[in-house]
Amino acid sequence: MSTLSGAAVAGDNEKPIKLPISGKRNILITSALPYVNNVPHLGNIIGCVLSADVFARYCRLRGYNAIYVCGTDEYGTATETKALEENCTPKEICDKYHAIHKEVYKWFDINFDEFGRTSTPQQTEICQAIFTKLMENNWLSENTMQQLYCDTCKRFLADRLVEGSCPTQGCNYDSARGDQCEKCGKLLNPTELIDPKCKVCQNTPLIRDTDHLFLELPLLKDKLVEYINNMSVAGGWTQNAIQATNAWLKEGLRQRCITRDLKWGVPVPHEKYKDKVFYVWFDAPIGYVSITKCYTAEWEQWWKNPENVELYQFMGKDNVPFHTVMFPSTLLGTDQNWTLMKTISVTEYLNYEAGKFSKSKGIGVFGNDAKDTNIPVEVWRYYLLTNRPEISDTLFTWADLQAKLNGELLNNLGNFVNRVLSFIAKDQASGYGSIIPDAPGAESHLLTKTLGDKVGNCVEQYIEAMEKVKLKQGLKLAMSISGEGNAYLQESQFWKLYKEDKASCSIVLRTAAGLVYLLACLLEPFMPSFSVEVLKQLNMPPETQVSLTDEKGDIDRSKRPWEFLPAGHKIGTPSPLFKELSDTDVEFFRQKFAGSQADRIVKAEAEAKQITEQLKKTKVSDGNVKKERTKKSASENKPKAAAEQEISISRLDIRVGLITKVQKHPDADSLYVEEIDVGEGQPRTVVSGLVKYIPLEEMQNRKVCVLCNLKPATMRGIKSHAMVLAVSNEDHTKVELVDPPQSAPIGERLTFSGFEGNPDDVLNPKKKVWETIQPDLHTNKELIACYKDLPFTTSVGVCKVSSISDGSIR
């Protein structure tokens, strides 16, 4: 694992507004609007926002004029239900979860041009305008329908406020919702459910008549079928999208109700229906349009410009009919010149270990969980995209994540990049002094020319795959270039060439360095943070925009990779890009994310209760000690004894620090010299005897626990101004750093429940405060760092170690 920084911020409003440009490819990209009543899980992320982000980044890489809009879907029953559960208003639920979604996608490096929401005045305005046009054009009808009414709650129950047994033969799922069965996927009406119950009060509802408005899909069928027949071919729709659409057409189009008896939604601008709102599946796809209007007042240049704009949409398979039937029919019914979807890219389901990801049941790994694992974002993106369920359902397993990280990212990609740059960075006696060598005659060097032909062919296939939105294939092709690079290095035996034929060695190294740059380009859509770090190690300025455009000849140049980097260019400092994921890590994560979120909460509460009980015992024990000491102090009347009883953990100043720079001590093989930010403006210099226990790359950019008020000590000529806390096992053969939570604020002082007070400015060595407290610092069975039985605590959680339990902290 590495600590690469993100390549872009989600919804960066400082970017210039983009409008379609005549003569350029203008691409409008959307992904299914994630529903706002929960945290997105990995299945949601790969199914919509991540896939769309990869394609949007690819479009920018190719120099197309593309924008990517998305946002939270906020109206409807599910929000009202969640608000009832959390005892707040629907607006408060939306505000809370919109912020959570935005934060999750920001961490995942999802680079939206606009990430908005559907509960806006723009949404109301556009929804109502479309509705008015449909009314004027006579595509709407009125009808009385029977709906479940709860006499206890005094309200008609919308689809999701009813649960019962699925009526589909052979299913019989007993928690089917009123709109859809989660088990078999069948779309339902609430009145079809067997033994229905009101989700709020659990009473059996009654059936009553209520008037609603319907979209006349049967009357719009001819327009719709013409659109589907033309665009599904021209846009290369995925097979699962075509199948789902044809299933709806084959079953026969029916009137679809577009209103609901709810309060939370877009109001219907019609006197008779003013107490109703639009059905969420009528208004949600219109959210793409309204969010674009929030992005630019010139939104019609994107949405009413089919001659110049291509619309690409990304989603999971359960969303297909609403985007290929309902939404196009709605727009066609207005008789306006809308930009209709050209290409739809649909994923099947990503399943989790032994079962399905489920937001409602809390099963699987959720967006915020991924962040908390400390596995870097580029690893998560890579794994989800190699596992993208394009044709059939795929399975997330921790063992597979480990295999992909260790085998493909670490041993293939990371190894190639580090091998090339580390050799170039060696001094002139054994390398190139960090300077890209000249490579005259590269085009006639047989091994290099053969490699260039292979790579050029691979890049052409990559572009062909990405143009067809075959993202998994595109990623595989990009990674194969890394494999070709490793084989090229082995076959050339460059380490021998350096001594025997330096001119040929220079050709090989300049070509390999060009491949490193090319990989940063090809992999940017998939792992932007990886590309940022590679460009940094190549010493390319942060504003460098990788590109793969026809205009600049980048595609053609890929056949001559030695031309990518100029001779004489000085590279930066190479460092490993990925860190191995151990069997211990895998087992830890498998256990941690087993069961549902509810199970995990129960487990966490039980652990917290256990810690509280231990704390009570500790307080009682400390209280008795204090009484005994006080008694003894009074009888002996010695002020010194009173001072001694004040030796406690509160006198230590332990803070969260970030290692900003680390290198080996110039005069001591066993010591590191670190620069550590502990929240003081200037970093502190710290010397640590950790070289034989912790590799240099694991020390880089790492958060640590730092004891800041020890008296400074000079170690082999360098003064150390603090101490990094680490844990060792019983025989001192293994040492690990004490890790604060990744999101803990730098400079925050650690706390210990029951021990308040300011720390000493500097611990007096003669009083042996540290020496007295240190024996009580240890790790427990849960790998939590403790003083006695009290955890090392930050504002965002406790501090832990990787694997050493019952170890001594010093």
Side-chain angles (χ1 to χ4, degrees), residues 3 28-29 37 51 137 150 174 179 207 225 235 238 284 409 445 511 631 678 680 713 774 789 792 808:
T3 48
L28 172 58
I29 300 161
N37 69 330
S51 295
N137 295 339
C150 180
D174 62 2
D179 60 343
I207 294 177
V225 169
T238 53
L409 290 179
H445 186 264
T511 301
K631 192 174 178 182
V678 290
E680 296 173 331
Q774 188 277 322
D789 289 317
F792 284 42
S808 175

Side-chain angles (χ1 to χ4, degrees), residues 271-428:
E271 186 59 31
K272 183 177 174 182
Y273 298 97
K274 63 184 179 184
D275 291 333
K276 300 182 193 289
V277 299
F278 287 119
Y279 175 39
V280 69
W281 270 118
F282 175 78
D283 97 87
I286 296 169
Y288 303 128
V289 186
S290 72
I291 291 167
T292 310
K293 184 172 183 180
C294 293
Y295 170 69
T296 171
E298 304 294 317
W299 63 275
E300 289 187 344
Q301 289 195 40
W302 286 107
W303 280 100
K304 293 185 177 179
N305 190 1
E307 297 78 18
N308 295 307
V309 175
E310 302 168 58
L311 173 58
Y312 283 71
Q313 299 198 291
F314 291 78
M315 67 205 64
K317 63 181 176 183
D318 50 345
N319 285 339
V320 170
F322 302 105
H323 289 79
T324 60
V325 177
M326 286 281 288
F327 187 40
S329 296
T330 301
L331 298 181
L332 288 166
T334 65
D335 287 338
Q336 294 176 319
N337 195 32
W338 288 97
T339 303
L340 297 176
M341 176 180 64
K342 176 187 176 183
T343 298
I344 182 170
S345 180
V346 176
T347 55
E348 301 291 308
Y349 291 135
L350 177 70
N351 294 322
Y352 179 71
E353 292 278 346
K356 282 187 174 181
F357 276 94
S358 171
K359 280 200 289 187
S360 57
K361 293 177 182 161
I363 292 170
V365 179
F366 288 72
N368 46 359
D369 295 331
K371 182 179 179 182
D372 291 343
T373 62
N374 291 335
I375 296 172
V377 63
E378 64 272 17
V379 175
W380 283 110
R381 284 180 63 116
Y382 177 80
Y383 180 69
L384 290 172
L385 289 158
T386 56
N387 227 10
R388 187 174 185 250
E390 292 181 350
I391 298 168
S392 60
D393 292 356
T394 57
L395 189 64
F396 173 100
T397 71
W398 288 102
D400 189 36
L401 174 68
Q402 178 191 30
K404 295 279 198 306
L405 167 52
N406 295 350
E408 297 171 18
L409 290 179
L410 178 62
N411 294 335
N412 176 0
L413 179 63
N415 178 54
F416 173 69
V417 174
N418 196 248
R419 205 174 171 194
V420 173
L421 299 188
S422 294
F423 193 86
I424 293 172
K426 286 182 178 180
D427 60 37
Q428 293 285 1

Side-chain angles (χ1 to χ4, degrees), residues 734-754:
K734 189 175 182 183
V735 173
E736 296 173 349
L737 292 172
V738 177
D739 294 319
Q742 194 58 33
S743 53
I746 295 168
E748 179 182 23
R749 187 182 171 208
L750 272 57
T751 58
F752 300 85
S753 186

Side-chain angles (χ1 to χ4, degrees), residues 587-603:
E587 190 50 39
F588 171 75
F589 291 133
R590 190 183 285 118
Q591 294 293 330
K592 180 175 180 179
F593 296 108
S596 68
Q597 285 181 311
D599 295 336
R600 293 175 216 157
I601 291 166
V602 169
K603 185 180 174 186

